[in-house]
Amino acid sequence: MLEQTYYDKADEIIESHGAKAASLIPIIQDIQTEYRYLPPELLSYVAGKLEISEAKAYSVATFYENFSFEPKGKYIIKVCDGTACHVRKSIPILERLYTELGLSKEKATTDDMMFTLETVSCLGACGLAPVLTVNDKVYPAMTPDAAAELVRELRGA
Ligand code: FES
């Protein structure tokens, strides 16, 4: 069960975009920005408010990969494993971060909800490879040591 404040926030966001079916994507994007994920309860709630079926809202949200139904950490680290980054050794960076954060392919978010670690196929910054991002800030020419240091800095922040 979500707290009432989540529904109040959703109402505010719905109001800012207008309660119409065409506003579904901007509304759920704003909800995801607010909470760093899209709580399934709020997706159902928004569908009701916009008078569209839950199934329809769900299929829209699952069609776009960047919607997540799982809570994510305060810092979302994305390690690029596109071709340019891969050949410049992105995997050792990823492995070092898994070790540093106690995460794995199966467990993407730390228990303290500080970090989520993901891979992406290309961040569009191949000239800066290997690249990772933290909450969309780009860190170029990374190394395993630099990535570990970055995590330590963020922990202290
Ligand atoms: S392959 Fe990593 S930014 Fe393009």
Side-chain angles (χ1 to χ4, degrees), residues 1-22:
M1 269 293 279
L2 292 177
E3 287 169 22
Q4 183 58 35
T5 55
Y6 283 71
Y7 295 96
D8 294 345
K9 187 73 202 173
D11 281 337
E12 210 178 281
I13 291 171
I14 292 167
E15 199 177 320
S16 75
H17 291 285
K20 49 188 189 301

Side-chain angles (χ1 to χ4, degrees), residues 59-105:
S59 73
V60 169
T62 48
F63 180 77
Y64 294 97
E65 276 181 31
N66 63 334
F67 288 112
S68 166
F69 296 111
E70 299 286 327
K72 293 200 183 191
K74 179 177 176 194
Y75 298 109
I76 300 173
I77 303 175
K78 294 183 184 175
V79 176
C80 181
D81 193 33
T83 309
C85 290
H86 189 87
V87 299
R88 295 202 193 159
K89 302 198 175 354
S90 55
I91 294 299
I93 297 171
L94 181 66
E95 282 169 353
R96 180 67 173 273
L97 286 173
Y98 277 145
T99 308
E100 202 70 29
L101 296 169
L103 296 175
S104 64
K105 263 192 191 143

Side-chain angles (χ1 to χ4, degrees), residues 107-127:
K107 178 174 164 56
T109 299
T110 56
D111 291 334
D112 62 4
M113 299 304 293
M114 279 288 278
F115 294 97
T116 294
L117 182 56
E118 299 176 342
T119 56
V120 283
S121 52
C122 179
L123 288 163
C126 309

